[in-house]
Every structure is written in structure tokens, then in C-alpha cells.
Amino acid sequence: MKKTILLSLLLGSFAAISQEVIPLYNGETPNSKPYKMQEVKREKDDLLIGYWKVSEPTLEIFLPEKPNDRKAAVILCPGGGYAMESYRKEGTEIAKAFNEEGVAVFLLKYRLPSDSIMHDTSIGPLQDAQQAIKTVRDRAAEWNITPNNIGIMGFSAGGHLASTAGTHFNKSYIPNVKKTSLRPDFMILIYPVISMQDGLAHGGSRRLLLGEEPSQEKLDLFSNDQQVNEETPPTWLTHAGDDTVVPVANSIRFYENLIQNKVPSEMHLYPKGNHGFVLSIPTSEWMQPLFKWMQKSDYITEK
């Protein structure tokens, strides 16, 4: 789906302009039921806010005008408590910032867990994240990307999805005949939901993903701090200490386990700002430490 110059003028500085939107799957979507929810797209003042009731996942492709020498790519997972996806603030605006650094972005509109569209809600979003990694890696040459320089980024519940992809990659939840690696090369987690345990979990995210009364086995499996090992990808995290929606201990525990397993990682904690704090800060400001980390880690080169 081609975007036009006119669209660029209308949106101005609010969003990057994608080159194409593609279906995530060719053919049947795994773990799906025939019923399709009616997707809801919401706007305010003619600007996109996000999507609700997503049942048909897509990848929106944002390729930089001047790719960085390292030809990095980031798969982007917006947040929204597994109830919606904050597609502009945690999606298209972030894609623009990455494109300005020469990084390709693949904005994932993932299925939101619902018994009406999938057999197992706990793995539906993860399947979509794995399929996104597989697609970008398999088609890396076509999009001028280095196939071993593909990261995943997520906000809030999207951070849970990203960290799930980064800690559950040894099991393929999708058809993968060519055995393409499903391991992201790095993770970027922004005030992420990490744990599903009482006292740490974001209640809405846990309920929608795992159900009203999940087993302890499920709670442990999707508490991603418990899944960290020496193969977990290098990670950059940020969180506010006064977050009343997703406790900062989610990021701290994940970081502690990364360090214990000698996974190169960096964490930036802010004393105040509550949940979603970066959304009130200019993107060019709060993402600078992230770009510095990507440079130090050789994911991108300095401009």
C-alpha cells in the first residue's frame, strides 16, 4: 500500500511515511479461528491514536532514505495492555526517529489476544513477533538489511511481547521449514511489562494474555525475567521509578538477571514521570542515550 507525497505533507512532523504495509502471513494464520473481529481504528484531531480488536496482523515498512552503514533494522511493538496498540505515539513517531538515524523499522500490528479469534491467547502475539523476525530476516537482502543486525523494541505490554520474543526464541511457535533464527539480535524495552507474578504484573495485560485464572506454570513461563539465560540478546531498558501502572521492579529484575547471565545490557531509570513518561519528552531527546548504546554496541555507526 503506497503512501503519497500528499500524505507526507498532511502529516508533517507527526509521523514517518511508510513505503508499504504487508500482511504478516502468506496464507493461513497459525492458531487462528475463522471468526475475524472488526478492527477499530481511532483518531483524534485527524491523527491516528491506535488500533483495537486487531485480528489480522501486518508489518508496516519504514526504510530510511540513507541507511546506516550497519544496515540495522528494528521490529517495533507498540504497547496498550494487550487491549489496544498505541500505533502513533509508540509506533510511527518512533519509526521516524530511527529512520533519521539510518535504521529500518518494521512496525508490527500484532493480534490482540482474544478467545474469539485464536485457540491459545497466550502465544498469539508471540507467534506474530516470531513471524515478523522471520520475515525481516528472510527478506533482509530485499530491504538492504544486515540479517544478523535485527532488533526488537516494545513499549509497556509491547515490551512484554518483545522480551518474550527475546527469551523464547528456541521454540518456534510458527511454521519455520527453513529453520530461520527467531532470535532478535538485540532488545529495546521501554517501561516494559516483564513479570506475570502477583505484585509485579500489570493486571490487564496478564488477564488478557493468560486468562482469569492462569496456572502457576503459565505465570512462570511468561514471566520473562525467569527466562533469561546467557543466550538472551543484549538489551537496553528505560523506566520511571514512580510508575504506578507497571512497577519499575519489572525492568530492575530483568536487568539483574541479564547481568547475572553476563548479557551486555544498559538501563536508564528516571525518578519521576510515571507510565509512558517518554511520550511527553521530545523523541530526539530521550532516544539519544539509546542511539549512543547502539553505536557502542556496533548496531549502528555514528553519523
Side-chain angles (χ1 to χ4, degrees):
M1 186 171 74
K2 300 293 182 182
K3 301 293 197 290
T4 64
I5 300 295
L6 176 60
L7 181 58
S8 177
L9 292 173
L10 288 172
L11 293 182
S13 63
F14 288 106
I17 304 303
S18 66
Q19 285 77 31
E20 190 178 9
V21 180
I22 63 173
L24 187 59
Y25 298 95
N26 292 319
E28 185 177 352
T29 302
N31 183 34
S32 64
K33 294 180 180 178
Y35 173 75
K36 297 294 183 186
M37 292 189 296
Q38 185 64 45
E39 182 175 283
V40 176
K41 176 183 178 181
R42 292 186 183 171
E43 298 179 338
K44 183 177 180 180
D45 299 328
D46 295 324
L47 292 174
L48 174 64
I49 297 174
Y51 293 94
W52 281 252
K53 297 186 177 182
V54 177
S55 61
E56 297 185 9
T58 62
L59 271 184
E60 188 162 3
I61 303 167
F62 299 81
L63 302 179
E65 184 178 346
K66 296 181 179 179
N68 190 275
D69 290 346
R70 295 282 190 263
K71 299 179 181 178
V74 170
I75 294 164
L76 183 51
C77 308
Y82 284 126
M84 60 84 67
E85 294 170 37
S86 180
Y87 205 78
R88 178 169 66 89
K89 283 287 190 179
E90 297 175 347
T92 55
E93 291 188 0
I94 306 303
K96 178 185 177 184
F98 273 117
N99 277 182
E100 289 173 350
E101 296 294 321
V103 178
V105 172
F106 296 82
L107 178 50
L108 175 61
K109 187 168 68 172
Y110 52 92
R111 284 174 292 167
L112 293 168
S114 170
D115 290 330
S116 67
I117 64 165
M118 57 185 67
H119 298 286
D120 185 347
T121 60
S122 70
I123 63 170
L126 173 57
Q127 289 174 308
D128 294 351
Q130 287 192 339
Q131 181 68 21
I133 295 167
K134 179 180 182 297
T135 299
V136 175
R137 189 158 277 142
D138 285 348
R139 298 176 64 177
E142 174 185 344
W143 289 317
N144 196 25
I145 292 164
T146 303
N148 62 351
N149 197 7
I150 299 169
I152 192 164
M153 178 181 192
F155 294 75
S156 194
H160 183 265
L161 177 53
S163 64
T164 306
T167 54
H168 293 71
F169 54 83
N170 280 325
K171 180 177 180 180
S172 178
Y173 290 88
I174 57 171
N176 189 10
V177 176
K178 295 194 296 184
K179 298 190 184 305
T180 300
S181 172
L182 302 177
R183 176 185 181 273
D185 296 295
F186 56 93
M187 290 191 287
I188 302 166
L189 307 178
I190 315 299
Y191 38 83
V193 176
I194 295 289
S195 178
M196 291 287 130
Q197 307 295 335
D198 291 342
L200 282 180
H202 175 249
S205 296
R206 182 172 75 176
R207 183 177 64 258
L208 289 170
L209 188 70
L210 303 182
E212 292 289 347
E213 297 183 0
S215 66
Q216 190 59 51
E217 181 182 8
K218 274 276 177 94
L219 293 175
D220 293 345
L221 181 63
F222 288 97
S223 290
N224 294 327
D225 54 313
Q226 298 183 29
Q227 309 306 322
V228 172
N229 59 36
E230 64 279 357
E231 294 182 329
T232 301
T235 304
W236 191 90
L237 303 105
T238 191
H239 216 127
D242 65 347
D243 194 326
T244 58
V245 178
V246 178
V248 68
N250 280 266
S251 285
I252 292 172
R253 289 196 183 184
F254 196 74
Y255 178 76
E256 287 175 340
N257 287 347
L258 291 167
I259 298 306
Q260 184 177 345
N261 284 274
K262 297 181 171 53
V263 177
S265 303
E266 184 169 315
M267 181 168 63
H268 291 251
L269 298 183
Y270 294 80
K272 294 186 177 181
N274 211 330
H275 197 63
F277 72 101
V278 301
L279 304 182
S280 61
I281 303 173
T283 306
S284 58
E285 179 179 323
W286 76 262
M287 291 184 75
Q288 282 309 307
L290 166 59
F291 296 143
K292 292 294 184 185
W293 175 76
M294 294 179 73
Q295 291 167 6
K296 289 185 296 184
S297 305
D298 287 331
Y299 300 125
I300 62 174
T301 54
E302 189 172 355
K303 289 201 273 187

